[in-house]
Amino acid sequence: MSDFLLGEQRNMLTAAKQFIEFVNKGPSPFHVVDECKNLLRAQGFKELRERDPWKVEKNQKYFVTRNQSTIIAFAVGGEFKPGNGFTMLGAHTDSPCLKVKPKSGKIRHGYHQVGVQLYGGGIWNTWFDRDLTVAGRVLVKEGDKVRHRLVNVKRPILRIPHLAIHLNRKVNDHFGPNLESELLPIIASTVESASSAPGSTKHSPALLDAICSDMGVEKSQLLDFELCLADTQPASIGGALEEFIFAPRLDNLVNAYCGLLGLIESCAVDSLNSDPNIRMALLFDNEEVGSTSAQGAQSSLTEWILRRLSTGGSRTAYEEAIPKSFLVSADQVHACHPNYADKHEDNHKVGLHKGPAIKFNANQRYATTAISASILRVIAEKASVPIQDIVVKNDSPCGSTIGPIISAKLGLRTVDMGSPQLSMHSIREMCCTSSISQSIALFKTYYNTFPAVDESFIVE
């Protein structure tokens, strides 16, 4: 292998390992946004607050959060003026998981258990026999103040054990647990926890003890919390040739991370000085449950921010900006599964290491058009990143994502795309190491070149 190819391989592996660090720091959307803020601050991005007046300047970089689970970062081009366009990339911070119920404490047959809700469409049987923990946010009373704090208990404190095969001989024929009564994690035995103080009647004392110990607070300080269950096994590089990533939450932390890195890296060169647009990375919460929330893509957040950034021009500056703007909606796609190849459309079998795929759907489950797909193909060619196409079979339901939501709400040109992976919505998913470097390169080039590429299209 040539020195050049060896160098490329090393760079690809380095990018993958950096992504793994990001995944391991993001067991909940709140942690994901917190880590995004750390990355942005390190590169000179300044935090804004929705409730404050804004004074944004050319060649400056900013970010704003909502609910601490959605974050929008943007860099203002040196040639930007109100009425110019927005070069946008959208992804999401959430993944299917189990969430602790408001009153989670249960005692059954000698065990303390934690009641959970289902969030999104997970493959729930993959949560059995995993070493689980909790992570999320806690509202803590500190004197006369209430503060938002993050918690991530890094040791395994929960487990959902399988029923032994001796007691269920048909388990290998079909396993569909009752999602209310059989998907209940154990946190302690009543024997060992008998001496624990009763504490709250809402939650197991063992759960509260673990949270308080991790945060260094007293139970009396806990006002409320939002907790996700998470696997304690860290993400890792896998495969005999170190070509795979085995990790939780690849859908959609791959694109959240790569989109943010693409924006950051695009600002590291002089191209921002001459950019007439504002470059934006929009990372939303609640995509996995339909995006209908104050912090989801169906909210008015995107429109309000675009309108704020369009002030100072003509009365129709915002309306002028939308036709000059573009959204790359980046969410993972299904790679062809070697054991279930018949589940994939014959001419659209997407493979690992072959580049991101553009999503198409005639019924508008994706917002891609011939024009938006062509724009991305031109940009991918400039980035030397291969592109695949994906369509689901006619006898298979098609998922959707934030692309059609934002496209319809704003009247915005949009292309839906994503990197290929296996085991989507399992507690442990699988993609290829090349996806990370390819996606970062594609998104960086998109931010750097979209205005010029857009000018080259004569479609009106």
Side-chain angles (χ1 to χ4, degrees):
M1 186 179 292
S2 69
D3 290 342
F4 174 77
L5 291 177
L6 283 172
E8 288 289 297
Q9 194 173 46
R10 280 194 295 268
N11 291 340
M12 181 177 68
L13 197 57
T14 297
K17 289 179 177 178
Q18 290 170 345
F19 166 68
I20 282 174
E21 291 179 12
F22 179 82
V23 172
N24 290 335
K25 293 177 181 177
S28 78
F30 307 110
H31 288 84
V32 171
V33 167
D34 189 61
E35 186 59 22
C36 289
K37 290 165 66 174
N38 292 336
L39 292 172
L40 291 166
R41 287 193 182 109
Q43 298 300 321
F45 283 72
K46 304 169 187 176
E47 184 168 9
L48 303 173
R49 299 201 310 165
E50 282 191 86
R51 63 177 62 191
D52 295 337
W54 292 0
K55 183 180 178 181
V56 300
E57 300 176 346
K58 296 177 182 180
N59 286 316
Q60 295 300 311
K61 302 171 291 185
Y62 307 91
F63 68 88
V64 61
T65 66
R66 178 177 282 186
N67 191 50
Q68 300 299 324
S69 61
T70 287
I71 185 167
I72 295 178
F74 57 94
V76 184
E79 298 298 322
F80 176 77
K81 61 182 180 180
N84 285 9
F86 300 94
T87 306
M88 305 163 66
L89 182 141
H92 62 90
T93 61
D94 61 320
S95 302
C97 68
L98 303 176
K99 292 195 171 186
V100 176
K101 287 182 175 179
K103 293 183 178 180
S104 70
K106 293 178 180 287
I107 298 178
R108 302 197 310 171
H109 309 291
Y111 295 98
H112 286 277
Q113 295 183 274
V114 177
V116 293
Q117 297 184 82
L118 312 181
Y119 180 84
I123 306 177
W124 303 120
N125 58 22
T126 64
W127 288 71
F128 281 72
D129 293 334
R130 304 296 303 183
D131 298 338
L132 304 173
T133 190
V134 291
R137 70 165 165 199
V138 183
L139 279 299
V140 178
K141 291 182 286 186
E142 297 181 357
D144 61 349
K145 303 292 185 183
V146 177
R147 297 196 182 277
H148 168 284
R149 291 182 54 183
L150 300 184
V151 63
N152 178 14
V153 180
K154 295 184 178 179
R155 61 189 178 92
I157 61 171
L158 296 159
R159 192 174 179 90
I160 308 172
H162 262 292
L163 181 64
I165 193 170
H166 313 79
L167 304 176
N168 181 13
R169 293 292 183 182
K170 295 182 178 180
V171 66
N172 289 321
D173 299 330
H174 173 75
F175 180 61
N178 182 291
L179 300 178
E180 176 61 26
S181 61
E182 297 174 352
L183 199 66
L184 274 172
I186 294 171
I187 190 167
S189 71
T190 56
V191 174
E192 288 296 320
S193 62
S195 60
S196 296
S200 169
T201 58
K202 294 172 62 174
H203 303 285
S204 164
L207 176 63
L208 298 179
D209 286 342
I211 294 169
C212 291
S213 174
D214 185 78
M215 299 180 66
V217 300
E218 300 296 326
K219 289 181 185 178
S220 60
Q221 293 179 261
L222 302 183
L223 189 61
D224 209 340
F225 48 65
E226 295 176 49
L227 298 178
C228 305
L229 270 64
D231 193 352
T232 57
Q233 182 180 354
S236 62
I237 301 293
L241 304 179
E242 294 192 313
E243 59 179 309
F244 303 129
I245 297 174
F246 304 149
R249 303 179 296 279
L250 294 177
D251 174 21
N252 190 32
L253 294 191
V254 167
N255 295 293
Y257 174 81
C258 294
L260 201 68
L261 262 288
L263 174 62
I264 289 171
E265 291 190 8
S266 77
C267 298
V269 295
D270 292 336
S271 67
L272 186 63
N273 296 333
S274 58
D275 196 336
N277 281 12
I278 292 181
R279 305 171 182 180
M280 305 185 72
L282 306 97
L283 311 182
F284 295 99
D285 194 5
N286 299 135
E287 187 274 346
E288 294 292 355
V289 292
S291 297
T292 309
S293 67
Q295 57 275 2
Q298 290 217 50
S299 73
S300 54
L301 177 61
T302 305
E303 180 182 350
W304 287 357
I305 288 181
L306 298 187
R307 286 188 180 277
R308 291 182 80 159
L309 296 176
S310 297
T311 57
S314 70
R315 294 180 61 185
T316 58
Y318 169 76
E319 289 79 7
E320 294 166 33
I322 293 300
K324 302 172 188 173
S325 302
F326 194 85
L327 173 68
V328 172
S329 169
D331 204 353
Q332 293 292 84
V333 305
H334 300 293
C336 180
H337 196 303
N339 301 340
Y340 304 93
D342 60 321
K343 296 292 185 180
H344 305 270
E345 208 279 336
D346 285 343
N347 290 337
H348 299 87
K349 288 184 167 68
V350 173
L352 301 182
H353 298 300
K354 296 181 179 180
I358 298 175
K359 305 177 183 181
F360 296 86
N361 184 262
N363 295 304
Q364 297 301 297
R365 299 290 287 171
Y366 299 124
T368 305
T369 67
I371 293 172
S372 63
S374 296
I375 288 173
L376 190 66
R377 292 188 202 281
V378 170
I379 292 169
E381 186 176 356
K382 291 179 179 293
S384 300
V385 173
I387 289 290
Q388 305 179 77
D389 297 331
I390 187 166
V391 172
V392 301
K393 296 173 66 176
N394 289 328
D395 58 0
S396 177
C398 181
S400 191
T401 185
I402 64 173
I405 294 170
I406 299 176
S407 178
K409 192 175 182 67
L410 302 183
L412 187 68
R413 291 176 297 170
T414 300
V415 61
D416 276 293
M417 54 77 66
S419 292
Q421 71 166 79
L422 297 167
S423 304
M424 190 179 292
H425 288 196
S426 172
I427 195 171
R428 299 282 294 183
E429 300 173 326
M430 172 180 172
C431 72
C432 57
T433 52
S434 56
S435 285
I436 309 305
S437 54
Q438 287 175 339
S439 295
I440 294 172
L442 176 62
F443 298 153
K444 176 182 177 181
T445 305
Y446 164 62
Y447 284 121
N448 280 335
T449 65
F450 169 71
V453 170
D454 194 33
E455 283 289 324
S456 72
F457 276 69
I458 304 172
V459 295
E460 295 182 355

